[in-house]
């Protein structure tokens, strides 16, 4: 019997933020992110601190955030919508939601996105989609999964992803390492796919990533064949991460030890991944043009 618990219709409940070193880091980044948001607009953040009750459901208001309060049906609607987020296994009905999440995954490249989405949804033992509880057949707010580049090497979408990366990499000291993990070592490499809506509550990050790494670990023991079990024994992860980098970022770094202004991470956990990475490279995007800075 597999040890992997069924996650269908599982509400997000508190888990110890010290579950793993990554969770602790993600929690710290999430806390820092929330602090910055509160400083930017105190009117939108007058909530009381989250309590630690074991049965608390993490709630977040879509749009403006506010402290829940009792009100009669006759009270005027104030524009706030309360939502309960839950984790679900990927399924075929999520196709359009996941495709929307990945629309700009390879920038403006025309590629087999449909095939990539099918590949992700077909891997139900590893991967999570975040939806609103009671509305699981509708919108997808986040997709997190990891797929083996060697296992799916003959799929058109995977070949196109490899081609895209090799073409985008212009750094000579990195390109050889990139060719190695996309070629000879591909069977040991997991493509970590993580896309979500911008305003997804950062409190979801630690349990979301812990769930992914738990499932990868369980898959190495619970998959029905040895080949499948080995396909989840990842030695490396490769991650696409979108950042904003100032034109004078290199000068800023030289003039100051604080490089926060030089690079802006659109997802707070990407800063952790960047720090933990053995190497990385960057390239310009074309689908979303930044400001003149």
């Amino acid at each position: 019997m597999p040890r992997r618990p069924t996650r269908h219709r599982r509400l997000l409940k508190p888990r110890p933020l010290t579950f793993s070193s990554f969770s602790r880091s993600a929690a710290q980044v999430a806390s820092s992110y929330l602090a910055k948001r509160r400083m930017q607009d105190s009117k939108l953040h007058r909530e009381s601190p989250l309590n630690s009750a074991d049965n608390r459901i993490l709630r977040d208001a879509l749009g403006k955030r506010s402290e829940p309060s009792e009100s009669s049906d006759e009270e005027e609607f104030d524009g706030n919508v309360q939502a309960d987020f839950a984790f679900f296994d990927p399924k075929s009905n999520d196709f359009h939601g996941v495709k929307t999440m990945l629309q700009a995954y390879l920038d403006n490249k025309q590629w087999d996105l449909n095939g990539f989405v099918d590949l992700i949804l077909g891997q139900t033992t590893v991967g999570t989609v975040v939806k609103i509880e009671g509305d699981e057949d509708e919108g997808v707010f986040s997709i997190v999964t990891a797929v083996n580049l060697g296992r799916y090497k003959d799929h058109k979408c995977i070949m196109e992803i490899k081609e895209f990366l090799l073409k985008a990499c212009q750094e000579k000291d990195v390109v050889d390492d990139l060719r190695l993990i996309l070629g000879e070592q591909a069977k040991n490499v997991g493509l970590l796919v993580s896309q979500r809506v911008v305003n997804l509550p950062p409190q979801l990050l630690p349990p979301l990533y812990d769930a992914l790494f738990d499932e990868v670990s369980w898959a190495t023991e619970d998959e029905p064949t040895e080949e499948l079990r080995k396909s989840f024994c990842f030695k490396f992860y490769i991650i696409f991460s979108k950042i904003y980098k100032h034109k004078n970022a290199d000068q800023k770094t030289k003039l100051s030890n604080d490089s926060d202004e030089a690079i802006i991470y659109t997802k707070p956990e990407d800063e952790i991944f960047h720090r933990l990475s053995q190497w990385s490279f960057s390239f310009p995007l074309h689908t979303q043009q930044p400001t003149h800075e």
Side-chain angles (χ1 to χ4, degrees), residues 90-125:
K91 59 182 181 179
S92 58
N93 290 351
D94 299 324
F95 180 88
H96 294 291
V98 173
K99 182 178 179 180
T100 299
M101 286 281 148
L102 300 172
Q103 200 67 51
Y105 191 67
L106 295 189
D107 199 17
N108 60 352
K109 177 181 175 64
Q110 296 296 319
W111 65 299
D112 186 19
L113 176 57
N114 288 344
F116 189 52
V117 175
D118 285 335
L119 187 153
I120 289 173
L121 299 182
Q123 182 180 274
T124 57
T125 55

Side-chain angles (χ1 to χ4, degrees), residues 102-215:
L102 300 172
Q103 200 67 51
Y105 191 67
L106 295 189
D107 199 17
N108 60 352
K109 177 181 175 64
Q110 296 296 319
W111 65 299
D112 186 19
L113 176 57
N114 288 344
F116 189 52
V117 175
D118 285 335
L119 187 153
I120 289 173
L121 299 182
Q123 182 180 274
T124 57
T125 55
V126 172
T128 299
V129 292
V130 177
K131 305 179 186 179
I132 294 179
E133 175 64 15
D135 196 25
E136 61 267 23
D137 292 329
E138 297 299 329
V140 173
F141 289 82
S142 177
I143 172 68
V144 175
T145 190
V147 297
N148 187 293
L149 293 182
R151 175 183 174 185
Y152 300 109
K153 63 180 180 180
D154 296 327
H155 287 241
K156 181 181 178 182
C157 58
I158 297 298
M159 290 189 288
E160 290 177 321
I161 289 175
K162 293 180 180 180
E163 177 186 358
F164 175 83
L165 287 172
L166 289 171
K167 184 177 180 180
C169 182
Q170 300 296 320
E171 301 182 20
K172 295 181 179 180
D173 58 336
V174 171
V175 67
D176 289 338
D177 291 328
L178 180 61
R179 286 197 183 98
L180 184 62
I181 67 170
L182 295 181
E184 296 178 12
Q185 297 185 5
K187 64 180 180 181
N188 300 318
V189 179
L191 177 63
L192 200 163
V193 181
S194 175
Q195 298 292 109
R196 65 174 184 269
V197 296
V198 175
N199 60 344
L200 191 75
Q203 296 98 323
L204 293 178
L205 302 182
L208 187 58
Y209 281 102
D210 272 340
L212 173 65
F213 297 134
D214 281 347
E215 290 175 339

